[in-house]
Amino acid sequence: MSSIGQITAYARFAVGLRRYLHEPATAELGREAIGRLLLERESSFLTLVRRAVYENERSPYLALLQMAGCEYGDLERMVRSDGIESTLTRLRDAGVYVTIDEFKCRKDIVRSSTAIHCEPQDFDNPFLHRSIATGSSGSRSPGTSTRMNLDRSRYHALNYTVVFSAHGLTGRPTLLCMPILPSAAGLGMLLQSSKMGVPPVRWFSPVQGRTIRPAIAKRLATLYAVYAGRLFGVPMPSPEYVSTDRTGLIADSLVGVLKRGQGCVVFASPSLSVRVCQVAHATGRSLAGATFVASGEPLTPAKMNEISSVGAGAVNLYAFAECGIVGFSCAGEKPVCDDIHLIRSSVAVIQRRRDTPYGGGSVDAFLFTSLFNKAPKILLNAESGDYGVLETRTCGCELGDLGFTQHLHTIRSFDKLTGEGMTFVGTDVVRIIEEVLPSRFGGFSIDYQMMELEDKEGRTRLNVLVSPAVGEVDEARVVDCVLAELSKGSDTNRMMAEIWRQGGTLRVQREPPHLTKGGKLLSLHIVRGGQVDL
Ligand SMILES: [Zn+2]
């Protein structure tokens, strides 16, 4: 965006922020908004596709629909007679979907003999205003630039009010433990919790601007929102940098808030949540009354156990930058701890069986369709790189009673490595494993492998396997080399690599790379509870 464009966006943002902060989100308003959106679900979908796809000749989905011979009238008839999900399934079978590589423009879209070349902005939502451009906590690949939008933030805050009500968290004080921009998650949560009338007591960022050197516009955006918010009467905290070895500071602050007797909601990645709980455990303190709202990586049974062991609870949130929030923890009986209600008011999901690029097996990938005209990107059967279980069931919790009857659980990624809420796409890591490490430390591409696993304390670890055949290597230098390579390219990458460095997420393991059950050697070996048919 040009400087003038940036200034105009900031000016619009300020005007919107004032109004935004003066209309508090309540659970009652949340239930009303969701109920209305569920009633209008089909119309919203049709209007969005008509305007953002059929009337937008740059849309990659338009070419796919034309190849499938689906005119707008056909789509409308199918939706009105069979519903959205059934229509999406028929479209998928006719080739109307985009894989994660196509969605991120890492590859052309190829169907039959036709190739469609796309640029990342071709997937942009053309109807967004009052937005500030941000990065994402995603990868270095193109197409991850998304926009902070107050209308979307309002909708997310309304969802949160209902979720807080379902989980008995309404009105509790909050702590924010998420990175500053270029990750949009921290600033987004600051705005949403402020809208709910519970701005964070403190904001702890696991990264500092000095280390990751974000673009000036991004540094200004954070300060701008905080100071504008204060000007409009909301006591928004400035971000405070807390390195991993000072996690005790967060635990101290949390215990301090809990002493007020009103509980506390902590917005943090599952890894950081676990680390706070471990510090509390080591110092013999209970975190009863604390609830971690955990997002950015899977909330696994091991992590949940660590959180429960100090008396705290966790509410799982599933979101990704291009779509926004997809779902929230069920408040009823759950088959597994990461079970979420799909927010059907704004998202539709079906699945597609596909081979995994690194797992050596196949998975039921999620295909997302956004029904919300303020979504960062237009999604029509678009992969996010995740797979898992999709099912419809009655759970008896408030979210189910609202009409959120579809659940997703056991959600894992098939193309990314995730740790500490940060993800790098597999292709970036493969290049380092297969090319950079052998050239720097000797051996061949098959002598190295990156393995993602969870240790017995619930922490996600990424082990760099170095075959003994390579001979003597300086393990610290291997870790430094991988982090230096990962941090290249953008401030988002520097931020993610810094978080991995601090978290001690990467370790060297001297053993030969593992083979899949099919006997294949893959540069990435992802060990996840038997969900991939390796
Ligand atoms: Zn439920």
Side-chain angles (χ1 to χ4, degrees):
M1 198 188 289
S2 68
S3 315
I4 299 284
Q6 285 274 8
I7 291 166
T8 312
Y10 275 98
R12 277 191 185 146
F13 187 79
V15 171
L17 185 64
R18 185 185 191 115
R19 201 177 64 222
Y20 172 90
L21 291 172
H22 276 81
E23 301 160 344
T26 63
E28 195 181 358
L29 288 175
R31 283 188 279 269
E32 255 176 53
I34 288 166
R36 197 169 53 244
L37 284 170
L38 283 173
L39 278 178
E40 295 167 355
R41 199 168 179 259
E42 292 179 357
S43 306
S44 304
F45 169 67
L46 287 169
T47 305
L48 188 61
V49 176
R50 180 170 55 75
R51 295 185 58 207
V53 177
Y54 281 100
E55 295 173 6
N56 175 8
E57 60 183 25
R58 291 189 64 171
S59 171
Y61 304 114
L62 179 60
L64 287 170
L65 285 161
Q66 284 169 341
M67 283 164 68
C70 181
E71 299 293 332
Y72 177 74
D74 303 322
L75 182 82
E76 186 168 14
R77 268 191 298 282
M78 279 194 285
V79 169
R80 295 294 184 204
S81 66
D82 304 327
I84 292 176
E85 280 74 11
S86 165
T87 301
L88 291 173
T89 304
R90 285 173 66 181
L91 291 178
R92 175 201 68 191
D93 295 344
V96 183
Y97 62 86
V98 288
T99 65
I100 182 67
D101 282 335
E102 293 163 352
F103 188 43
K104 298 274 188 176
C105 302
R106 300 194 286 249
K107 285 182 182 165
D108 285 349
I109 301 174
V110 179
R111 300 287 180 273
S112 314
S113 55
T114 308
I116 306 163
H117 177 73
C118 308
E119 297 295 333
Q121 60 269 27
D122 296 341
F123 289 99
D124 281 355
N125 183 343
F127 309 116
L128 291 183
H129 302 291
R130 283 206 298 277
S131 300
I132 295 179
T134 68
S136 76
S137 61
S139 63
R140 76 173 63 191
S141 59
T144 50
S145 172
T146 52
R147 288 166 186 284
M148 184 80 64
N149 178 281
L150 288 174
D151 293 326
R152 184 168 63 244
S153 197
R154 180 180 292 117
Y155 173 63
H156 285 167
L158 285 169
N159 275 290
Y160 266 108
T161 58
V162 175
V163 171
F164 273 38
S165 166
H167 288 269
L169 304 173
T170 305
R172 293 200 179 179
T174 64
L175 282 179
L176 179 56
C177 304
M178 291 178 141
I180 51 173
L181 290 174
S183 165
L187 185 54
M189 209 55 251
L190 176 74
L191 292 172
Q192 286 153 39
S193 53
S194 297
K195 178 88 179 158
M196 294 161 68
V198 281
V201 178
R202 288 172 80 175
W203 177 2
F204 300 109
S205 167
V207 290
Q208 63 177 343
R210 207 182 324 148
T211 314
I212 53 174
R213 304 187 304 281
I216 184 86
K218 292 172 185 169
R219 267 181 280 167
L220 285 175
T222 304
L223 291 176
Y224 185 87
V226 167
Y227 286 100
R230 288 180 192 170
L231 189 68
F232 300 144
V234 177
M236 290 188 185
S238 299
E240 302 168 57
Y241 166 57
V242 176
S243 57
T244 306
D245 51 2
R246 293 167 64 225
T247 306
L249 208 75
I250 302 176
D252 293 345
S253 177
L254 174 54
V255 168
V257 175
L258 288 172
K259 278 187 185 149
R260 299 181 196 172
Q262 300 167 310
C264 185
V265 170
V266 186
F267 301 105
S269 71
S271 290
L272 182 52
S273 305
V274 164
R275 207 173 307 114
V276 171
C277 291
Q278 284 169 346
V279 169
H281 184 72
T283 47
R285 289 179 289 182
S286 161
L287 296 183
T291 304
F292 291 89
V293 173
S295 61
E297 62 187 310
L299 180 64
T300 56
K303 288 190 173 70
M304 193 67 217
N305 285 341
E306 287 283 329
I307 292 169
S308 310
S309 72
V310 287
V315 171
N316 194 26
L317 160 69
Y318 180 45
F320 59 99
E322 294 83 357
C323 181
I325 294 173
V326 173
F328 291 98
S329 267
C330 174
E333 286 292 314
K334 293 183 278 198
V336 286
C337 62
D338 77 340
D339 183 275
I340 59 141
H341 281 274
L342 176 70
I343 303 299
R344 294 181 73 248
S345 42
S346 46
V347 190
V349 179
I350 61 167
Q351 290 176 295
R352 176 177 162 264
R353 192 82 182 160
R354 59 160 289 158
D355 290 339
T356 61
Y358 312 110
S362 55
V363 292
D364 290 316
F366 294 132
L367 293 179
F368 292 93
T369 298
S370 178
L371 316 175
F372 183 43
N373 61 8
K374 298 296 187 296
K377 298 274 180 179
I378 299 297
L379 292 94
L380 179 61
N381 278 344
E383 282 184 353
S384 68
D386 287 344
Y387 66 96
V389 178
L390 166 65
E391 61 188 18
T392 300
R393 66 187 164 78
T394 313
C395 60
C397 90
E398 188 179 335
L399 299 172
D401 294 346
L402 266 177
F404 293 149
T405 49
Q406 285 178 293
H407 294 245
L408 306 182
H409 66 76
T410 321
I411 302 161
R412 301 291 183 267
S413 168
F414 60 78
D415 93 321
K416 295 183 287 277
L417 292 174
T418 303
E420 303 285 336
M422 300 290 124
T423 58
F424 281 100
V425 292
T427 42
D428 291 337
V429 183
V430 168
R431 182 186 63 82
I432 298 169
I433 291 295
E434 294 188 348
E435 298 170 26
V436 178
L437 291 180
S439 74
R440 202 74 59 83
F441 297 95
F444 304 94
S445 63
I446 53 164
D447 288 324
Y448 297 87
Q449 188 175 52
M450 182 82 91
M451 189 161 81
E452 183 187 298
L453 70 167
E454 194 172 52
D455 67 18
K456 57 182 186 303
E457 292 173 322
R459 279 186 288 208
T460 305
R461 296 279 179 215
L462 294 166
N463 286 359
V464 183
L465 268 52
V466 182
S467 169
V470 176
E472 200 169 312
V473 294
D474 181 338
E475 297 186 0
R477 277 189 57 222
V478 172
V479 169
D480 286 346
C481 171
V482 173
L483 289 173
E485 287 294 320
L486 287 173
S487 67
K488 283 181 181 170
S490 73
D491 51 12
T492 302
N493 292 333
R494 286 196 291 279
M495 173 194 69
M496 298 195 298
E498 173 62 15
I499 289 179
W500 279 10
R501 188 187 65 73
Q502 283 194 29
T505 309
L506 284 181
R507 300 210 171 158
V508 171
Q509 198 176 335
R510 294 306 305 266
E511 60 178 84
H514 295 207
L515 299 178
T516 66
K517 279 185 191 156
K520 287 190 229 169
L521 193 152
L522 302 158
S523 299
L524 301 185
H525 190 79
I526 305 178
V527 184
R528 281 172 191 157
Q531 285 304 307
V532 182
D533 310 329
L534 288 171

